[in-house]
Amino acid sequence: MNMLDLIIKKKKGLSLSKEEIEYMISSYTAGKIPDYQMSAMLMAICFSGMDDRETADLTMAMTDSGDRLDLKRIDGIKVDKHSTGGVGDKVTLIAAPVAASLGVPVAKMSGRGLGFTGGTIDKLESIPGFRTGISEEEFIRNVNTDGISIMAQTAELAPADKALYALRDVTGTVDSIPLIASSIMSKKIASGSDAIVLDVTVGSGAFMKTEEEARKLASCMVRIGKLADLPTRALITDMDEPLGSLIGNSLEVIEAIEVLKGQGHEDTREVSFEIASQMLIAGGKASDREEALRMIGDCISDGRALKTFRQFIADQGGDPHVTEDLSLLPKARIEEKINSEKDGYVEKIHCDMVGNTVKILGGGRQVKGEEIDPAVGVKLLKKKGEQVRKGEVLAYLYANDENKLKEAQKLIAGAFVIGEEQPERGPLILDIID
Ligand code: URA
């Protein structure tokens, strides 16, 4: 077998056999296939696709490329949560402590930013002292004592995905259903939870641009979960504008803390609580959505969810006082207003442009492994459907570098579409597939 033949086969739109997929993944992980050949294969998959059987085989080959985490030392039904990516998506920072405070053990591995979307690990690392590179022992101990731990994907867990994820990020090969489904599900299967709740985002700030594509991706992952004996449910959520009002690493931690205190943006609350409610149902703590939402309301208003978040930060070396004193989080030096050039209504906010604005400011990576700036980002003052007057502030940019700010200003100005008619706002939760 050789990689060149496989690239040509996929380019012609033919299916790869299980053996061919296993050869490709194990050889690439062992460093026997160069990045340029794997990049060509990824591009061929983007154009030619993969059928369900190939996607399931790719998932299992990636799962088997490394270790599987054994979570049997944790009692209870461990529920994992994963988003297909978004802009301003701080849902994990809220849903995980909420579910943990209500008795669902959360032992979660998370990733860094990808493309124009942010990553939970980068956000958590904006908390002074917070360690995401903890050992498996510490991870399990934290879940057993405080019900929650989130760590960076280890090199031993699905190493094929780790390598492919970084390669896809810099070769324009992220937005392919089989590649996203196998990337997510290989990590989820290897990380040992008993059930998964997936947040499949759709819109200009997501990898899936249409509801049809999002449904295909959600169904594909639910089917892979079934084949792997891992109960999986997926929510389809709107990501046509950024979630909530703050986008950027430490800024999203701020919004998450606000929501855990019963404040924060209503859109962030809605999506986070809906995901948390599915985690409670999957974890056997609530029998239906209504009961789950009631329980969530209680743990927010009596402070249990915030207390769990604070304990989680302290367990992983972070400064828990950030929950009371937001000024302890990294803060950008420059605050710049973006004003509306005319009267009207916000017709649309190009979500990918907002994500790229944060990236340009330094909040995301342009090349593999780059350092990021945790303090920079965007605050949206106006969202879709809101009325604006000429000169009114649409958004604030937070920057630490004048040149990056200039570039970001140009991009964010084009992200807002101001029209004469007030547009309708659609639902945020489009469907639940299980
Ligand atoms: N999240 C992942 O883990 N993988 C992808 O490919 C996209 C989003």
Side-chain angles (χ1 to χ4, degrees), residues 61 87 105 125 143 155 189 199 203 211 305 325 369 374 380 403 407 417:
V87 177
E125 285 180 354
V143 184
I189 296 166
D199 182 2
E211 204 175 316
D325 182 357
L380 301 174
N403 291 330
E407 220 184 308
V417 180

Side-chain angles (χ1 to χ4, degrees), residues 62 82-86 110-112 114 117 153 161 164-165 168 173-188 207 217:
M62 289 184 3
H82 195 94
S83 161
T84 57
S110 285
R112 299 191 180 275
L114 182 67
T117 69
Q153 186 188 334
D161 175 61
L164 287 174
Y165 195 93
R168 286 167 57 214
T173 53
V174 172
D175 56 349
S176 140
I177 290 178
L179 294 180
I180 296 177
S182 56
S183 162
I184 292 176
M185 293 307 285
S186 61
K187 286 184 292 229
K188 298 294 109 179
F207 297 127
L217 176 61

Side-chain angles (χ1 to χ4, degrees), residues 209-231:
K209 303 295 178 202
T210 66
E211 204 175 316
E212 193 192 341
E213 286 175 350
R215 276 179 197 285
K216 271 194 202 153
L217 176 61
S219 310
C220 178
M221 290 193 286
V222 170
R223 273 197 304 273
I224 295 172
K226 204 172 216 166
L227 286 173
D229 226 2
L230 182 58

Side-chain angles (χ1 to χ4, degrees), residues 294-340:
R294 213 171 323 114
M295 290 165 71
I296 292 167
D298 290 347
C299 81
I300 294 286
S301 55
D302 65 20
R304 262 176 299 160
L306 184 67
K307 189 166 165 230
T308 301
F309 188 58
R310 205 181 290 130
Q311 188 58 52
F312 156 63
I313 295 175
D315 284 348
Q316 296 193 213
D319 182 354
H321 299 106
V322 294
T323 58
E324 307 315 315
D325 182 357
L326 298 174
S327 72
L328 295 171
L329 287 161
K331 195 169 187 304
R333 216 166 28 83
I334 313 166
E335 179 185 274
E336 188 73 26
K337 289 179 189 149
I338 304 296
N339 300 98
S340 178

Side-chain angles (χ1 to χ4, degrees), residues 255-292:
E255 190 170 310
I257 292 171
E258 285 168 353
V259 171
L260 290 169
K261 287 182 174 170
Q263 303 145 18
H265 198 282
E266 62 195 67
D267 292 355
T268 307
R269 282 208 304 269
E270 183 180 341
V271 176
S272 304
F273 295 168
E274 205 64 51
I275 298 281
S277 78
Q278 292 300 322
M279 292 174 79
L280 291 177
I281 297 168
K285 297 291 175 193
S287 50
D288 56 33
R289 182 176 168 270
E290 282 63 40
E291 187 189 5

